[in-house]
Structure formats: C-alpha cells, structure tokens
Amino acid sequence: MFKTAPYEHETIWGSENWIVSTHVEGQSTVDDPESQNNGKPVTSELGGEFPQIVKVIQANDTLSVQVHPDDDYARRVENTYGKTECWYVLDAVEGASLICGLTPETTHDSLSAALESGDEASIQACLRDVPVTKGDFIFIPSGTVHAIKGGLRVLEVQEPSTVTYRMYDWGRKREMHIEKALQVVQYNQPVVEHGFTGPFSCPYFSIEKKVIDALATELDRTLHFSGNGHEFVSLFVTEGIAELTDSHGKRIIVQAEDTVMCPRNEAITVTSVDHADVSILVMY
C-alpha cells in the first residue's frame, strides 16, 4: 500500500486535487519515501491505468451548468470514455445546495429555448436545485445536468474522462457546447442520499463507507476488500487520525483527506491514533 500525492489544478471557481488519476491530463503521484517509485506517477506502482479518477473539488464559486455524454456517444464523437460520476459532500456552508438534474416540467423544447436565449432566469427555471450538507451522497449518471455551487467541498469519483459540455456559465466568457449538450441530456432527477452510509455500486465504480470504532477489537478494525475489477482499491480518510497496517507489517499514518492505494487482496488493520473513531471511504 502507498499514499498518493494529488495533481493540483486551479480553476476560476476554486480548485481540483486529482488524488487518484492516471489520466494524461493530470496524474497523481506516489507519496512513499520507502518506495523506489516515490514522486513518480501512480502507474509505476499500479502497473497501468486506473479505471477511475478521484478528485477533491473545492468550489468557492459555482461551476458551469454542464452535462457529460455516455460511453457510446463519447466514443463515437469524442473518441474517449463517457463520464458518469458521483459526489460525497466533505464540507458545506450553511444553506449550501447544488444543481442536480432538471425540474419535472422541463422539456427538450423549454430547455433548448432557455439555453438559446441565454436568459439566466429562464435557465434557472429549468434547473433542479437541491440542498445538501456534509456527508450527503449524489449519483450523477451521464446525461444529468449538474453544477456544484459555491461553498461546497466534495469528493468526486468518475469515469476516466474529461469530456464536458457547458450549457451555461453565469456570465463567464468560456466556450459553450449547447448543441452537443442537448443531444446527450437526460430529463432526470437524481436522488440525494442524506447521511450516506453505503454501500453504492454502478457499472463504473463502487463505494463503501467504513467507520472504525477506536475501541473495537483488532478483528473488527481490519478491512477486507470484496468485488471484482482493478487489483487496487483506493481509501480516502474523511475523519480521524489512524495507523494503517498491512499483512506485511508496513505502517502508514493517515489523517483526514489522505488517500491510500491498497492491493485488493490485502487486509488492512486500522488503529486510531487520537482515540477517536475513524471514517474511511473505500472506492474500487
């Protein structure tokens, strides 16, 4: 197992840390002084590409209203993967919300007319605004209109793709992709799971939430990883300070927002350092 260091990307609305990524546009690196691959792209330890990108997104301002294509459209038109994703809310200001899907009364014609007019009030009338708080989970299938709003910090798990069609950008002068967006948009209203406990699974990724009691026995503090797919899983600490120990005796100290890659066949024992419970998201 080894910790990762993120690829850091500053934006006009905040920042993205790509904490697990083998994508050509931004690769995370190995953070392990004991490894000969320390500081190198994570592919050097993983042995190849990883099937997801995992990011921490800090939204100081609202992102563009956007949509991503599914795999079929993306392969045919963009020669890449589509983009299904999900969000876990790490932190949220009081009264925070995000755009997640379209209102039930929105039709293709009404959405098209609003986007073509560029009128903010008409566009906002089509958008479904959902309140969120720390610990909430939202699944965003391809084709879902969405925007992370200012005052949110989220963990995003997604397919390894950057293809994005902007529909509206709040007056910022960036390129729009309205024609393509209207070809891929789905008229849906995804469900927000308040107080996510997991597990969640879709064809592209799975997520489990593990809360480890600081006073539990070693057996109950040991993580085992199930499922199929890539031979590595990623662990993201949401709360607590802990020592992780693998079956070979290797130890790593982790704290909130640290990320660790671990072989799927490993058993990882979690020991609280500060005598408080430890919360970890397991992604694969």
Side-chain angles (χ1 to χ4, degrees):
M1 65 176 176
F2 63 94
K3 290 172 68 174
T4 72
Y7 165 75
E8 299 178 354
H9 177 52
E10 298 296 321
T11 71
I12 62 174
W13 43 259
S15 64
E16 293 184 344
N17 285 345
W18 296 22
I19 56 177
V20 180
S21 172
T22 60
H23 196 278
V24 64
E25 293 185 22
Q27 297 194 28
S28 50
T29 55
V30 176
D31 181 11
D32 183 358
E34 298 179 9
S35 170
Q36 63 180 358
N37 292 321
N38 186 44
K40 296 181 180 180
V42 293
T43 50
S44 61
E45 288 281 356
L46 299 180
E49 294 184 352
F50 197 68
Q52 296 110 31
I53 298 175
V54 184
K55 303 175 181 177
V56 173
I57 297 175
Q58 175 62 47
N60 300 326
D61 197 2
T62 301
L63 281 68
S64 63
V65 179
Q66 57 190 246
V67 68
H68 308 298
D70 63 17
D71 287 345
D72 289 341
Y73 186 97
R75 290 191 184 103
R76 176 166 50 85
V77 176
E78 309 289 355
N79 193 32
T80 187
Y81 296 99
K83 188 177 174 184
T84 285
E85 61 191 297
C86 69
W87 300 326
Y88 177 87
V89 180
L90 298 171
D91 202 6
V93 299
E94 185 175 356
S97 66
L98 48 77
I99 293 165
C100 178
L102 299 167
T103 58
E105 60 272 17
T106 298
T107 65
H108 179 84
D109 288 344
S110 63
L111 178 62
S112 178
L115 294 175
E116 292 296 341
S117 73
D119 178 67
E120 184 171 318
S122 298
I123 293 170
Q124 288 205 25
C126 297
L127 304 177
R128 178 173 171 262
D129 197 76
V130 179
V132 291
T133 58
K134 181 178 178 179
D136 289 352
F137 175 85
I138 308 97
F139 177 52
I140 308 291
S142 59
T144 302
V145 175
H146 62 277
I148 300 172
K149 299 179 75 173
L152 286 169
R153 187 171 181 83
V154 304
L155 181 78
E156 177 176 288
V157 186
Q158 58 158 95
E159 289 184 80
S161 171
T162 61
V163 61
T164 298
Y165 300 145
R166 293 193 197 98
M167 306 170 74
Y168 186 69
D169 202 25
W170 315 103
R172 295 179 288 231
K173 304 299 182 182
R174 294 191 291 175
E175 182 183 2
M176 296 293 106
H177 315 93
I178 292 174
E179 183 178 350
K180 288 182 176 179
L182 289 171
Q183 291 175 358
V184 303
V185 67
Q186 298 293 316
Y187 296 83
N188 57 351
Q189 296 89 35
V191 175
V192 176
E193 182 175 340
H194 299 291
F196 176 73
T197 57
F200 172 84
S201 185
C202 74
Y204 306 105
F205 44 78
S206 297
I207 303 176
E208 299 179 26
K209 184 175 184 179
K210 305 289 188 180
V211 179
I212 296 91
D213 189 327
L215 301 178
T217 65
E218 181 174 329
L219 179 63
D220 291 333
R221 290 186 287 107
T222 301
L223 303 180
H224 300 272
F225 309 114
S226 59
N228 300 313
H230 198 279
E231 62 183 20
F232 277 81
V233 300
S234 52
L235 313 180
F236 181 83
V237 182
T238 60
E239 293 183 26
I241 304 174
E243 181 182 72
L244 306 185
T245 307
D246 69 13
S247 61
H248 305 284
K250 182 174 183 177
R251 291 175 167 83
I252 298 177
I253 299 295
V254 294
Q255 59 186 349
E257 299 206 3
D258 279 346
T259 306
V260 173
M261 303 299 294
C262 176
R264 185 185 290 274
N265 60 2
E266 271 290 0
I268 304 297
T269 301
V270 181
T271 304
S272 174
V273 170
D274 59 356
H275 308 293
D277 293 350
V278 180
S279 181
I280 297 175
L281 294 178
V282 180
M283 299 163 286
Y284 52 90

